[in-house]
Amino acid sequence: MTREITNVLSIGIDIYNIVICGFVILSLANKNLKKQTSLWFFLLTVSILIFNIADMANWFSEGTAKPWHSPYLKIMTFIYYAAVPFSVFFFMKYLKHFLHPVEMSEWFFRIIGFVSILYLVGVILSAITGFYYVIDAENYYHRGSYYAVSLVFDAFFYIVTVIPVIVYRKHFNLPTKIALLSYSLFPIIMVLVQMNLYGLSLVNTGMTLSVLMIFVYSHRDLESSFLHYEQQAEKATEKLIRFQEHTINCLSNLVESGDSEGGQHAQRTSLFVQKLAIQTQKDGYYPEILTDNYIRMMTKAAPLHDIGKICTPDAILFKNGPLTEKEREIANQHTINGGRIVRDIVKFSENQDFIDISVGIARNHHEWWDGSGFPDKLAGENIPLCARMMAIANAFDVLVFKHHNNTPVSLEEALKIIQKESGTHFDPILVLEFLKIREELIRILP
């Protein structure tokens, strides 16, 4: 075939490829590209679209008869060669995000990146010295003296796209594996065909057909599988949260196990804190702190407020009668011990806000608004909000329920005592809010 005939055929083939890529891109654009799998597949298809446009522009602009021949052909040829490693990069990122949470080796990506840079250096040199390709004086494209080097790089890129599909084959069903392998196999087949039909745009046709095959037979499965992984991750997270809450409840019950009269103290105070927090949020106080998430974390952390009592000797913890000054000092250490223990318990959560809330409740729930509490003598809003709420909930429960060495009082009497200590023991705003949930407290009480 003459060059003129191959040019016409190649332009027709490239138009066909561009239409296919455009169809896939428009189909993807109508979906939610916030999903990483869809986004990377979208970018992969765009890179191949650019690859085809550049190739068509080469055939379309060769020769000196067209007014736009210079430097159009040189620019498009440069883009044609440079697009290859980018399409491989997008394909690999597509696979990586599909396989999440399975981690692909970072070294694998570094090697691909290093080889891609070497290849692109050759592309840049080609524009100057004709390393991979040459644009002659008559404005025609020819293979360069070291064109075979570009084929070696192409072979590398084809191979690296096959490796993860083989290594992680258990994560793909058969149609998906075939579709993903087509990204390498189709261009390789087209290279072999093109060796006997020089001049036709067959390699990029192989790439286009592989993208179409992935889209038709694989991408929907990949999306559904990706959603499956997300659902599995959510289920695992829910199980972890339930396990965490169960652990917290068991530890709080362990503290109370020696006090048969106060066995539900931790759970009740957690409920009191939640009700107080919701009411306070409703009335617009402390809006920068009291978010829905803060309330959830505080409610979950509240049962551990007395965990430090594990370190308090039973002789002091359950002593009949008043404690001596020395014994009181030892008993008060439960806040310091509690903060330390809680930090060790919840540090695995990797949620710093939850850690801070949990430690703040355990360590500072005996601080007083006027600064006369313990262990840190904090005053006013220097006391963590969660600890100020815990202080009221804890005091209320001790007042209205039978605990070791105390005589319970009525609901009304307990509320009067808490109101009386507003501004000294308790945050005045929180006292007013606590009084507003009287009806809910009645429903909680036996």
Side-chain angles (χ1 to χ4, degrees):
M1 288 188 293
T2 64
R3 193 176 188 101
E4 287 73 18
I5 293 176
T6 57
N7 279 7
V8 172
L9 290 175
S10 292
I11 289 174
I13 292 171
D14 284 328
I15 291 174
Y16 173 76
N17 292 336
I18 290 169
V19 170
I20 291 177
C21 289
F23 165 75
V24 174
I25 289 170
L26 289 174
S27 299
L28 291 169
N30 290 328
K31 296 185 178 183
N32 184 2
L33 292 181
K34 290 182 180 180
K35 293 179 181 178
Q36 291 296 314
T37 45
S38 295
L39 175 60
W40 289 117
F41 188 70
F42 176 83
L43 293 175
L44 168 63
T45 309
V46 168
S47 68
I48 294 176
L49 174 66
I50 293 172
F51 186 81
N52 281 299
I53 292 173
D55 185 61
M56 184 181 71
N58 286 349
W59 302 118
F60 192 68
S61 60
E62 281 191 326
T64 57
K66 286 102 176 171
W68 59 81
H69 71 85
S70 180
Y72 191 66
L73 179 60
K74 292 180 180 179
I75 294 173
M76 290 297 106
T77 303
F78 179 86
I79 293 174
Y80 175 84
Y81 275 85
V84 174
F86 287 99
S87 64
V88 172
F89 171 78
F90 294 141
F91 179 80
M92 298 305 297
K93 294 292 286 185
Y94 174 56
L95 281 183
K96 180 180 179 181
H97 281 277
F98 163 68
L99 288 169
H100 181 80
V102 177
E103 291 293 336
M104 296 174 65
S105 171
E106 286 299 322
W107 280 105
F108 187 59
F109 284 93
R110 290 175 186 175
I111 292 171
I112 294 173
F114 176 74
V115 175
S116 297
I117 291 172
L118 291 179
Y119 172 80
L120 289 171
V121 168
V123 175
I124 295 171
L125 289 175
S126 297
I128 303 171
T129 65
F131 193 75
Y132 294 153
Y133 64 86
V134 175
I135 307 297
D136 64 19
E138 298 299 318
N139 199 46
Y140 281 98
Y141 165 85
H142 301 279
R143 292 173 177 176
S145 303
Y146 297 95
Y147 176 76
V149 176
S150 70
L151 293 180
V152 173
F153 280 110
D154 287 342
F156 169 82
F157 292 134
Y158 294 144
I159 291 171
V160 297
T161 59
V162 170
I163 291 175
V165 179
I166 295 175
V167 172
Y168 301 105
R169 59 189 179 278
K170 293 181 179 179
H171 294 270
F172 308 105
N173 57 33
L174 182 59
T176 299
K177 277 186 282 194
I178 294 174
L180 294 174
L181 288 173
S182 72
Y183 184 75
S184 297
L185 297 179
F186 281 7
I188 291 173
I189 293 171
M190 293 300 182
V191 167
L192 296 175
V193 174
Q194 190 165 312
M195 290 176 67
N196 297 317
L197 296 171
Y198 174 72
L200 293 180
S201 302
L202 296 178
V203 175
N204 36 322
T205 301
M207 297 174 70
T208 301
L209 291 176
S210 69
V211 166
L212 181 61
M213 188 170 179
I214 293 172
F215 177 74
V216 173
Y217 293 104
S218 174
H219 183 68
R220 292 178 183 176
D221 290 338
L222 289 180
E223 281 194 323
S224 62
S225 298
F226 185 73
L227 289 173
H228 172 71
Y229 275 111
E230 285 185 330
Q231 290 168 357
Q232 290 295 101
E234 288 176 359
K235 289 180 180 178
T237 301
E238 289 175 3
K239 287 182 180 179
L240 180 60
I241 291 173
R242 286 198 299 269
F243 174 76
Q244 185 184 62
E245 291 175 346
H246 178 69
T247 301
I248 289 173
N249 288 331
C250 287
L251 287 170
S252 63
N253 288 335
L254 178 64
V255 175
E256 299 171 345
S257 61
D259 185 0
S260 60
E261 299 167 326
Q264 296 300 314
H265 171 70
Q267 283 67 41
R268 288 195 304 264
T269 51
S270 176
L271 191 56
F272 295 152
V273 162
Q274 182 188 48
K275 298 299 184 182
L276 172 58
I278 292 173
Q279 179 63 43
T280 306
Q281 181 193 52
K282 178 183 176 181
D283 286 346
Y285 293 107
Y286 306 115
E288 69 284 359
I289 301 175
L290 210 53
T291 63
D292 290 343
N293 192 43
Y294 187 93
I295 294 173
R296 282 192 296 269
M297 290 188 291
M298 181 170 55
T299 303
K300 186 166 68 172
L304 286 178
H305 68 280
D306 274 339
I307 190 68
K309 289 184 178 180
I310 290 176
C311 302
T312 305
D314 286 352
I316 295 176
L317 198 59
F318 303 114
K319 179 181 178 181
N320 290 317
L323 300 177
T324 65
E325 184 176 344
K326 181 64 176 177
E327 289 171 338
R328 176 64 62 186
E329 290 178 3
I330 295 173
N332 289 352
Q333 288 292 310
H334 81 274
T335 53
I336 297 174
N337 292 326
R340 173 179 52 79
I341 294 170
V342 165
R343 185 177 296 278
D344 289 338
I345 292 172
V346 302
K347 65 182 179 183
F348 69 88
S349 73
E350 298 182 358
N351 184 328
Q352 190 58 50
D353 289 337
F354 181 59
I355 294 173
D356 292 342
I357 290 170
S358 302
V359 173
I361 286 176
R363 183 180 178 92
N364 299 121
H365 68 281
H366 282 295
E367 302 287 359
W368 282 41
W369 183 258
D370 64 4
S372 61
F374 62 89
D376 300 314
K377 301 295 182 182
L378 300 178
E381 293 190 5
N382 289 326
I383 306 169
L385 179 60
C386 54
R388 303 199 311 263
M389 290 189 171
M390 191 72 235
I392 295 177
N394 184 60
F396 177 76
D397 193 85
V398 170
L399 286 169
V400 298
F401 287 94
K402 176 64 179 176
H403 291 265
H404 181 75
N405 233 13
N406 86 308
T407 301
V409 299
S410 67
L411 169 67
E412 298 302 332
E413 184 63 26
L415 293 177
K416 287 180 182 179
I417 292 172
I418 288 175
Q419 186 175 19
K420 182 179 179 180
E421 296 187 1
S422 173
T424 54
H425 188 171
F426 306 119
D427 179 340
I429 291 176
L430 296 182
V431 169
L432 291 175
E433 296 304 302
F434 192 73
L435 295 176
K436 291 180 182 180
I437 62 170
R438 178 179 177 280
E439 295 303 318
E440 294 189 62
L441 296 175
I442 293 174
R443 286 194 290 270
I444 295 172
L445 299 179

